[in-house]
C-alpha cells in the first residue's frame, strides 16, 4: 500500500468573516492547519507558540480537557507577543480506551501506538482557541470525532512506519495518509481529525460576540469539561 500525506479534503471548506478588524495569526507550526486555512480562503500569518506552551500533562485530565488547555496556552503564549491580532491556536490528540495518544517520540513509540489503535475504535479530539487581543476575550472549543481503524497487517504497518509520515502526528497516524484504513463513525469532521475543525471554526468566527468570554488571569484558561 502506498501512503502519501495529501489532504484530500480541501474543497468546499467553510469560511466565515473574521469577527474583529484584527489580522488572523495562526499560533501553530502544523502544516496541516496552514493548508486547511489557506484552502478555506483565510488570510493569515503564522507564529507558532513556544514549546513550553505544550507541557505539563495532568494525570486525571481527560483528552478534551487536555486539548482545551493546550490550545488556550498556545494562544496565550502568542497573544502575549502581539499588541493586536486574532490568534488561532489548536491542539489534537487521539484517545483510545481512556489513554491519550499525542505525537510519537520515535519510531518505536509510533509502532506501539499503531498496534494499540489497529482494529479499534478510538476518538480524535481537537481543541482550538480564538483569542482577540484587542478585546481581551476568547473562545475555547473542543470537537470529537470517532474513528474505526482497520486491522493493520504486518506489511501495512511496516510500510507506514517506513514512510515516516507518522512523524508529528497525534496517535502516530495521518487520516490523510491512507486510502481506506480509517473510517469516520461519528462527529463527521475530517478536518477535525487532521488538526482543525473548519466547520466549527467558521461557526465560532460567526458567533464570536456571543461565545467569547473575558480572558481570565488563570494560566491554563477556563476549566473545560465535556
Ligand atoms: C490524528 C491526526 C493528527 N494530525 C496532526 C495534526 C497536528 O499537526 C498534530 C498534532 O500535534 P499538535 O500538538 O496538535 O500540533 P503541532 O505540534 O503539529 O503544531 P503546534 O503545536 O505548533 O500547533 O497531528 C494529522 O495530521 N493527521 C491526523 O490524522
Amino acid at each position: 500500500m502506498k501512503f502519501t500525506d495529501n489532504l484530500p479534503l480541501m474543497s468546499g471548506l467553510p469560511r466565515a468573516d473574521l469577527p474583529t478588524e484584527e489580522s488572523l495569526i495562526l499560533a501553530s507550526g502544523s502544516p496541516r492547519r496552514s493548508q486547511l486555512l489557506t484552502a478555506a480562503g483565510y488570510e493569515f500569518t503564522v507564529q507558532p507558540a513556544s514549546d513550553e506552551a505544550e507541557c505539563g500533562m495532568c494525570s486525571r485530565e481527560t483528552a478534551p480537557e487536555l486539548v482545551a488547555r493546550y490550545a488556550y496556552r498556545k494562544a496565550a503564549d502568542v497573544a502575549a507577543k502581539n499588541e493586536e491580532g486574532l490568534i488561532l491556536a489548536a491542539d489534537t490528540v487521539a484517545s483510545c480506551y481512556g489513554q491519550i495518544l499525542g505525537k510519537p517520540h520515535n519510531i518505536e513509540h509510533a509502532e506501539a501506538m499503531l498496534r494499540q489503535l489497529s482494529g479499534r475504535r478510538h476518538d480524535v479530539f481537537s481543541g482550538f482557541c480564538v483569542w482577540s487581543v484587542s478585546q481581551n476575550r476568547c473562545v475555547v472549543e473542543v470537537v470529537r470525532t470517532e474513528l474505526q481503524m482497520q486491522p493493520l497487517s504486518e506489511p501495512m504497518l511496516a510500510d507506514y512506519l517506513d514512510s515516516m509520515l507518522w512523524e508529528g502526528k497525534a496517535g502516530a497516524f495521518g487520516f490523510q495518509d491512507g486510502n481506506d484504513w480509517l473510517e469516520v463513525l461519528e462527529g463527521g469532521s475530517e478536518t477535525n481529525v487532521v488538526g482543525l475543525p473548519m466547520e466549527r471554526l467558521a461557526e465560532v468566527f460567526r458567533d464570536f460576540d456571543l461565545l467569547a468570554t473575558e480572558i481570565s488571569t488563570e494560566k491554563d484558561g477556563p476549566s473545560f469539561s465535556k
Side-chain angles (χ1 to χ4, degrees):
M1 181 168 186
K2 281 273 168 286
F3 293 103
T4 45
D5 183 342
N6 64 3
L7 275 193
L9 18 119
M10 291 300 210
S11 59
L13 294 179
R15 180 188 179 286
D17 290 339
L18 299 184
T20 72
E21 298 292 307
E22 299 160 291
S23 313
L24 183 61
I25 300 174
L26 175 63
S28 172
S30 160
R32 273 73 55 173
R33 296 192 180 114
S34 282
Q35 285 165 1
L36 288 168
L37 284 181
T38 302
Y42 291 105
E43 283 183 16
F44 59 97
T45 54
V46 176
Q47 282 184 41
S50 49
D51 289 346
E52 297 80 67
E54 200 176 347
C55 66
M57 212 183 250
C58 308
S59 56
R60 283 200 302 267
E61 201 168 34
T62 63
E65 287 166 348
L66 178 82
V67 294
R69 188 165 64 81
Y70 280 176
Y72 178 89
R73 286 176 56 112
K74 290 178 190 181
D77 180 82
V78 173
K81 297 169 189 155
N82 288 275
E83 288 187 354
E84 59 169 34
L86 187 70
I87 317 287
L88 171 62
D91 195 79
T92 301
V93 298
S95 168
C96 188
Y97 297 102
Q99 195 178 342
I100 297 175
L101 307 178
K103 289 168 287 192
H105 308 308
N106 52 39
I107 197 161
E108 290 79 21
H109 195 200
E111 180 176 351
M113 285 185 182
L114 289 169
R115 288 193 186 280
Q116 183 174 353
L117 295 173
S118 173
R120 296 227 165 87
R121 284 174 176 234
H122 59 278
D123 292 312
V124 170
F125 292 93
S126 287
F128 68 94
C129 177
V130 178
W131 178 310
S132 163
V133 177
S134 68
Q135 292 187 6
N136 199 40
R137 297 196 309 148
C138 77
V139 178
V140 179
E141 295 258 336
V142 175
V143 176
R144 166 185 166 270
T145 305
E146 187 182 12
L147 297 169
Q148 171 78 47
M149 188 180 282
Q150 298 306 311
L152 300 177
S153 64
E154 290 301 318
M156 203 168 162
L157 184 63
D159 276 359
Y160 190 62
L161 289 169
D162 279 353
S163 76
M164 300 302 283
L165 289 171
W166 48 268
E167 268 192 319
K169 290 175 183 158
F173 68 87
F175 182 77
Q176 66 274 38
D177 299 342
N179 299 323
D180 54 3
W181 64 322
L182 286 156
E183 182 194 348
V184 173
L185 298 178
E186 206 190 311
S189 172
E190 296 186 344
T191 61
N192 185 51
V193 181
V194 302
L196 194 58
M198 298 302 288
E199 305 81 2
R200 188 61 194 147
L201 177 67
E203 289 170 2
V204 167
F205 280 159
R206 237 174 263 133
D207 298 337
F208 186 81
D209 276 343
L210 287 173
L211 298 170
T213 53
E214 200 80 8
I215 309 282
S216 75
T217 49
E218 283 183 42
K219 190 160 65 68
D220 290 337
S223 66
F224 184 93
S225 54
K226 223 175 209 182

